[in-house]
Amino acid sequence: MSVDLAKAARDPIRLGILLSGRGSNFLAMAESIREGVLPGVQIAVVISNVAEAPGLAKAREMGLPSAVFVSQGRKRAEHDADLTACLQAHHVDLVCLAGYMRLLSPEFIAAFPNRILNIHPSLLPAFPGLEAQQQAFEHGVKVAGCTVHFVDDHLDHGVIVLQRTIPVLESDDAHSLAARILVEEHLAYTEAIAHVAGGEYEIRGRRFVKRNSSR
Ligand code: GRF
């Protein structure tokens, strides 16, 4: 199932962004929208589970609708029910995880089937989980990168929308590698949203297959 094409022709595709930290991927999306690189896409709401998240402060500065649901100490299902209600109240079509550092409940994932994107700073299925760039560097990989994928019930596992790669340089350390991957992340997320929001794709098993797109 892809994003509803009839709706895409009529109305903007509304993004709901979930973040926990600095929010550079969110800012890259917002910049792409501002520059007209994502026509027909708008940010409906930015939600953080961390009250002090710099990304949330940026959303407020930008005058975007935002919300905080502090997750610490709360049951996952209850917290996620609040998220779902907020996203639905803002008529969100596509949820974008942008450094959202909390696992989602099966109920949340079921509420947005193939409507949740995540970005991960490795070439999945290699190096899922935390500190992916460091894992890759320490493993001695020669090529690194990032993955935008749909979210399913398993960590860093869903259907891959796209990946971007970079070579690992002799001069790299884990920090410089992470910084260069982040540049690719910002490009990858915009590109992935463009594909998904355009609606011209099919999911065949684990494969994300593009059709000709007019958007
Ligand atoms: C990024 O590296 C992303 O791949 C990972 O969390 C980090 C978030 O960074 N999921 P930012 O908050 O978007 O700057």
Side-chain angles (χ1 to χ4, degrees):
M1 181 168 52
S2 59
V3 168
D4 178 2
L5 264 183
K7 172 178 167 46
R10 265 194 330 265
D11 303 315
I13 297 292
R14 294 172 62 79
L15 306 184
I17 296 174
L18 303 192
L19 55 77
S20 307
R22 74 188 157 185
S24 73
N25 277 288
F26 146 59
L27 290 172
M29 286 171 210
E31 185 64 8
S32 294
I33 291 170
R34 198 187 62 78
E35 288 174 347
V37 179
L38 287 173
V41 175
Q42 63 180 224
I43 295 174
V45 64
V46 177
I47 303 177
S48 177
N49 66 323
V50 176
E52 308 76 26
L56 176 68
K58 295 268 174 42
R60 287 176 175 149
E61 276 168 32
M62 293 162 73
L64 289 169
S66 64
V68 191
F69 297 98
V70 174
S71 57
Q72 199 173 20
R74 292 197 69 201
K75 288 193 176 138
R76 194 178 309 284
E78 286 172 13
H79 175 258
D80 285 5
D82 286 346
L83 292 187
T84 303
C86 182
L87 291 164
Q88 289 174 343
H90 285 87
H91 306 289
V92 163
D93 301 299
L94 183 63
V95 179
C96 296
L97 308 186
Y100 186 68
M101 302 302 288
R102 187 170 160 100
L103 292 174
L104 293 165
S105 61
E107 293 79 12
F108 182 93
I109 294 167
F112 300 94
N114 287 332
R115 297 283 199 287
I116 310 171
L117 290 176
N118 182 42
I119 188 152
H120 184 74
S122 78
L123 297 173
L124 290 171
F127 313 118
L130 295 175
E131 309 288 354
Q133 308 95 323
Q134 177 121 13
Q135 291 185 54
F137 182 77
E138 287 175 0
H139 197 84
V141 299
K142 300 299 184 194
V143 177
C146 61
T147 304
V148 182
H149 64 94
F150 284 108
V151 171
D152 68 9
D153 282 330
H154 305 281
L155 180 68
D156 299 329
H157 173 269
V159 166
I160 292 171
V161 177
L162 65 84
Q163 296 182 304
R164 290 181 68 93
T165 61
I166 53 168
V168 179
L169 307 176
E170 293 287 326
S171 57
D172 268 328
D173 57 20
H175 182 76
S176 65
L177 183 62
R180 289 194 301 111
I181 291 172
L182 190 62
V183 173
E184 302 304 315
E185 290 185 41
H186 296 163
L187 300 171
Y189 224 154
T190 289
E191 197 181 331
I193 291 168
H195 290 326
V196 173
E200 289 287 335
Y201 66 91
E202 288 167 31
I203 295 174
R204 295 188 202 143
R206 278 204 53 90
R207 301 192 64 78
F208 179 91
V209 183
K210 280 185 269 175
R211 300 190 291 248
N212 291 334
S213 177
S214 58
R215 287 166 66 114

